[in-house]
Amino acid sequence: MKRILVSGGAGFIGSHLCTRLVSEGHEVICLDNFFTGSKQNIAHLMDNRLFEVVRHDITYPYSVEVDEIYNLACPASPIHYQHDAIQTIKTSVMGAINLLGLANRLNAKILQASTSEIYGDPIVHPQPESYWGNVNPIGVRSCYDEGKRCAETLFMDYHRQNEVRIKIIRIFNTYGPRMQPNDGRVVSNFVIQALQDKDITIYGTGDQTRSFQYIDDLVDGMIRMMDTEDEFIGPVNIGNPTEFSIRELAEKIIKKTGSKSKIVFEPLPHDDPKQRQPDITLARQKLGWEPTTQLDEGIDRMIAYFKETLNL
């Protein structure tokens, strides 16, 4: 049994990670300021003796005795991370400094949940970990993109200078139960709009592509990465390499829900990437990992989840 700290543990991804770690018999401390996290996401864990929740903002130092740290704290949807851009970048940068300092003092292993957004609007496709990205450092998305890029820099420098035991993963588009219905992310948006027979909004032409991975696959990849030998630090892409256009996704969801929704088009947001697809060769080689949940199966689960939770 390990004692594990999960920052951002009440969020969409963090709550699934906490659930998995507790189910494996580990003692888990969930750290969250509940800006985008929700107590409802972790309600099923509250009576478990292995689980503890602490309200805390990781832009301020936190001290606890743990064996491992998963750093997931940061708003991840454009609506939320652009709401307070300064706080977003502080969460990525100051949060990384505070948790790396803790890991250094404890000799704990620490994993950074980075993002495919560090590749920006890529001119290399699909994106391997060796690609440095094409990011606008002064755009409206840069508080998130550059914050995550700086966090990776901090992780590498703490590793090189202080020999902190680090792991870095780059998460591609992920969906699943416990996504917030109003966070503006494409899968949840489309499913809710379709279930309500509302127009489905596509930004741009709909020809831009994404690769969608189900939450269970991501959590499996995260834990596999944490469990690798200290010599392997990453970064590693964790995502589904199967590519779909946004229009294809909308049409698939309309068909599955039997919706009367029509597709409407709006201008593409500033700096929105045209394509995004992970090269997961390294994850296959080093982690023995690849996603197993197909998009059709995952969407069916999302439809059932929102029907139940939103009474749609």
Side-chain angles (χ1 to χ4, degrees):
M1 183 180 79
K2 291 179 285 192
R3 187 167 163 83
I4 301 172
L5 177 68
V6 180
S7 70
F12 159 52
I13 294 173
S15 63
H16 284 275
L17 176 62
C18 287
T19 301
R20 170 76 177 271
L21 293 172
V22 168
S23 74
E24 293 181 352
H26 302 298
E27 188 176 347
V28 175
I29 300 170
C30 164
L31 203 65
D32 209 296
N33 68 352
F34 295 99
F35 174 60
T36 57
S38 167
K39 289 183 179 178
Q40 186 176 354
N41 288 342
I42 52 173
H44 62 290
L45 295 171
M46 297 299 282
D47 292 332
N48 194 305
R49 62 179 181 81
L50 296 176
F51 183 75
E52 178 183 352
V53 60
V54 177
R55 182 186 287 269
H56 183 80
D57 185 331
I58 65 162
T59 60
Y60 299 95
Y62 179 73
S63 185
V64 69
E65 297 290 325
V66 291
D67 304 300
E68 294 178 350
I69 303 168
Y70 288 83
N71 182 27
L72 278 66
C74 190
S77 76
I79 288 175
H80 291 140
Y81 67 64
Q82 291 174 27
H83 173 74
D84 188 342
I86 294 171
Q87 183 63 24
T88 294
I89 198 164
K90 284 176 67 177
T91 299
S92 287
V93 177
M94 296 305 299
I97 290 170
N98 288 330
L99 292 182
L100 284 162
L102 178 62
N104 188 32
R105 290 192 295 275
L106 300 175
N107 191 32
K109 195 183 296 186
I110 180 169
L111 180 143
Q112 167 65 9
S114 191
T115 172
S116 62
E117 296 294 338
I118 66 104
Y119 298 121
D121 190 4
I123 55 177
V124 172
H125 192 73
Q127 294 82 59
E129 291 85 355
S130 58
Y131 176 52
W132 290 355
N134 177 38
V135 177
N136 176 3
I138 58 172
V140 295
R141 300 170 67 103
S142 60
C143 60
Y144 183 71
D145 302 359
E146 295 290 16
K148 289 289 192 177
R149 286 163 70 92
C150 185
E152 287 197 16
T153 301
L154 286 163
F155 267 67
M156 291 301 301
D157 287 338
Y158 267 78
H159 173 69
R160 285 185 285 246
Q161 190 168 325
N162 297 332
E163 299 183 350
V164 175
R165 302 159 64 208
I166 68 165
K167 306 288 179 181
I168 301 172
I169 61 169
R170 292 173 177 166
I171 300 172
F172 282 69
N173 286 63
T174 304
Y175 69 98
R178 301 184 203 143
M179 294 185 82
Q180 293 188 17
N182 61 345
D183 72 0
R185 287 191 263 196
V186 64
V187 176
S188 53
N189 259 17
F190 286 1
V191 169
I192 291 169
Q193 288 170 336
L195 288 173
Q196 295 175 331
D197 290 324
K198 293 182 177 179
D199 290 343
I200 288 184
T201 307
I202 288 181
Y203 296 97
T205 63
D207 295 326
Q208 65 268 36
T209 63
R210 296 291 185 273
S211 305
F212 303 102
Q213 92 178 315
Y214 192 69
I215 182 64
D216 292 353
D217 289 325
L218 169 60
V219 169
D220 183 54
M222 295 174 79
I223 293 173
R224 286 181 185 228
M225 181 60 176
M226 182 65 93
D227 289 345
T228 56
E229 296 297 323
D230 288 354
E231 291 73 21
F232 181 65
I233 62 176
V236 180
N237 291 334
I238 304 293
N240 194 319
T242 305
E243 192 177 17
F244 293 90
S245 74
I246 299 300
R247 186 196 294 265
E248 282 181 282
L249 176 67
E251 291 170 347
K252 185 184 288 288
I253 289 173
I254 288 172
K255 183 177 180 180
K256 282 182 170 293
T257 55
S259 177
K260 299 174 184 175
S261 296
K262 294 181 174 61
I263 295 175
V264 297
F265 297 88
E266 299 286 345
L268 196 67
H270 190 58
D271 289 338
D272 194 61
K274 309 299 185 301
Q275 55 187 24
R276 190 63 65 70
Q277 181 188 13
D279 181 333
I280 63 167
T281 302
L282 191 61
R284 287 186 174 117
Q285 291 174 347
K286 295 293 188 178
L287 311 182
W289 177 91
E290 60 183 328
T292 59
T293 307
Q294 300 302 315
L295 184 60
D296 281 289
E297 180 185 353
I299 288 176
D300 287 341
R301 294 180 190 175
M302 286 291 284
I303 291 169
Y305 171 75
F306 281 124
K307 277 184 175 179
E308 180 181 353
T309 57
L310 302 180
N311 295 316
L312 298 175

